[in-house]
């Protein structure tokens, strides 16, 4: 899990999937554009359930199937400074283009709070959950990306309680989907470096390092970010006889004491390392466990929490994943 390789931005940008322009022609009333759609991903039984779900949800919410569906991995910080990696738990964005400068945005997590807003002109009201998407899409429109508008539906597989931020992966999935919708040529790959810069401009308080992992991560690799450069190093716990897990405490409040308790117990019983996955306090910790100590460590943590009258934490497997991609 040490130094291996470095890659250029050009190589990172070319890692995305090619655009597929097959499928049915779609339409959805005034302001919508008639364009090729994803080949009926909502009803394709072989498709991942998450992508079928967001495709169907877009059609249900806005009356038209998606032209594109993008997934983006959650990401996390490693214990080493300036080092991040992508996790295999994804978010998804399904989108179809418009030509009237309007965005209709919905989310499975907020079914009663869909919203519409213009990409140009005075600021408009929108629900709090949509604030980051609102800022990003208007910033992208000012830069020439997606000015025509879109119908857009987003969803995350993880809740905030896990400690892995869904905000940055959702930003990336939305940015990639919108950039692709209005691309001048089929097969043109969205400019990931430019989109990352626009996301930073739209939400400077976001975690730029996590966005880098979402957009440029590689399976079995971590990114070291220093001096405006990115360098890849090997980070594949399974290849080293270990298991990376996210330990999520449960109960009321932020749970800082519970997280410390879990970390100390895991280390005491054989964990190789334990650290916070993000910048905030959160309720979770990442733990690196030897394969031959998985059961004893998990049992010890469970028993310690039961003895203290606390809910037993959950353990989620984490696989180091590749970057955001188009789902065909």
């Amino acid at each position: 899990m040490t130094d291996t390789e470095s890659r250029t931005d050009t190589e990172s940008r070319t890692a995305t999937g090619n655009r597929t322009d097959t499928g049915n022609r779609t339409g959805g009333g005034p302001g919508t554009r008639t364009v090729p759609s994803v080949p009926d991903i909502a009803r394709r039984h072989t498709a991942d359930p998450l992508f079928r779900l967001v495709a169907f949800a877009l059609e249900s919410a806005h009356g038209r199937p998606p032209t594109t569906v993008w997934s983006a991995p959650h990401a996390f910080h490693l214990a080493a400074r300036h080092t991040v990696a992508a996790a295999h738990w994804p978010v998804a964005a399904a989108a179809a283009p418009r030509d009237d400068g309007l965005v209709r945005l919905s989310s499975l997590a907020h079914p009663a709070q869909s919203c519409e807003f213009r990409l140009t002109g005075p600021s408009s009201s929108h629900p709090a959950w949509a604030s980051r998407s609102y800022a990003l899409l208007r910033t992208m429109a000012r830069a020439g990306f997606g000015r025509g508008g879109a119908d857009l539906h987003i969803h995350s597989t993880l809740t905030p309680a896990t400690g892995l931020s869904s905000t940055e992966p959702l930003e990336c999935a939305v940015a990639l989907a919108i950039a692709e919708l209005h691309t001048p040529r089929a097969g043109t790959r969205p400019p990931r470096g430019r989109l990352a810069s626009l996301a930073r401009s739209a939400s400077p308080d976001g975690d730029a390092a996590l966005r880098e992992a979402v957009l440029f991560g590689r399976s079995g690799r971590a990114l070291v970010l220093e001096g405006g450069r990115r360098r890849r190093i090997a980070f594949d716990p399974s290849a080293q006889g270990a298991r990376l897990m996210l330990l999520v405490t449960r109960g009321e409040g932020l749970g800082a004491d519970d997280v410390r308790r879990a970390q100390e117990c895991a280390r005491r019983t054989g964990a190789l390392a334990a650290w916070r996955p993000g910048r905030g306090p959160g309720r979770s910790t990442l733990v690196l466990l030897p394969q031959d100590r998985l059961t004893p460590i998990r049992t010890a943590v469970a028993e310690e929490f039961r003895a203290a009258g606390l809910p037993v934490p959950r353990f989620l497997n984490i696989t180091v994943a590749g970057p955001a991609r188009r789902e065909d």
Side-chain angles (χ1 to χ4, degrees):
M1 300 180 194
T2 54
D3 196 24
T4 54
E5 62 189 295
S6 63
R7 308 264 179 101
T8 65
D9 287 4
T10 300
E11 289 172 314
S12 298
R13 286 194 292 269
T14 59
T16 60
N18 290 331
R19 180 177 178 180
T20 301
D21 284 321
T22 59
N24 299 323
R25 310 293 290 185
T26 65
T32 62
R33 278 176 53 198
T34 301
V35 292
S37 66
V38 185
D40 207 14
I41 195 169
R43 295 166 183 82
R44 194 191 321 143
H45 297 301
T46 57
D48 184 291
L50 171 64
F51 310 130
R52 292 177 61 193
L53 181 62
V54 294
F56 181 79
L58 178 81
E59 190 170 351
S60 298
H62 305 302
R64 52 201 302 239
T67 301
T68 190
V69 176
W70 280 78
S71 68
H74 285 82
F76 57 92
H77 289 264
L78 274 71
R81 194 179 180 195
H82 305 306
T83 307
V84 289
H88 71 290
W89 296 94
V91 305
R98 303 181 63 85
D99 59 12
D100 58 358
L102 181 70
V103 171
R104 298 193 298 181
L105 177 63
S106 53
S107 168
L108 280 170
H110 305 277
Q113 291 184 301
S114 297
C115 61
E116 296 184 2
F117 56 85
R118 296 250 164 224
L119 289 170
T120 58
S123 298
S124 59
S125 61
H126 52 274
W129 71 264
S131 293
R132 293 284 280 266
S133 294
Y134 175 85
L136 172 63
L137 292 169
R138 284 175 62 95
T139 299
M140 289 179 64
R142 288 195 294 271
F145 290 94
R147 287 177 178 170
D151 292 331
L152 182 64
H153 193 90
I154 60 177
H155 183 56
S156 170
T157 51
L158 297 179
T159 67
T162 63
L164 296 186
S165 172
S166 294
T167 304
E168 287 76 18
L170 283 171
E171 285 177 335
C172 294
V174 166
L176 289 162
I178 296 303
E180 187 208 4
L181 284 185
H182 297 276
T183 186
R185 290 188 299 112
T188 301
R189 296 182 176 96
R192 296 187 175 214
R194 176 66 170 141
L195 296 180
S197 176
L198 291 172
R200 286 194 300 272
S201 176
S203 300
D205 58 333
D207 193 321
L210 292 186
R211 292 191 196 105
E212 289 285 311
V214 171
L215 291 170
F216 301 106
R218 289 291 183 277
S219 178
R221 297 287 186 271
L223 284 177
V224 180
L225 307 170
E226 292 181 299
R229 298 171 62 87
R230 67 178 71 91
R231 176 170 56 91
R232 289 185 177 81
I233 61 173
F235 183 61
D236 187 359
S238 61
Q240 303 293 324
R243 178 82 61 84
L244 181 63
M245 305 194 81
L246 184 68
L247 187 158
V248 184
T249 62
R250 297 185 285 180
E252 300 297 326
L254 290 177
D257 291 339
D258 293 349
V259 171
R260 281 193 294 271
R261 180 191 297 272
Q263 288 177 328
E264 291 168 2
C265 180
R267 290 191 184 105
R268 191 169 61 246
T269 53
L272 302 172
W275 70 93
R276 299 271 190 173
R279 298 188 307 188
R283 300 199 57 90
S284 65
T285 180
L286 284 163
V287 288
L288 190 62
L289 309 179
Q291 285 283 4
D292 60 357
R293 294 289 300 165
L294 292 179
T295 299
I297 293 172
R298 294 179 64 168
T299 299
V301 171
E303 290 178 348
E304 174 144 337
F305 273 70
R306 286 194 190 99
L310 298 170
V312 173
R314 297 175 59 203
F315 284 82
L316 300 177
N317 288 323
I318 297 292
T319 299
V320 181
R325 67 183 189 183
R326 189 187 197 274
E327 300 295 335
D328 294 319

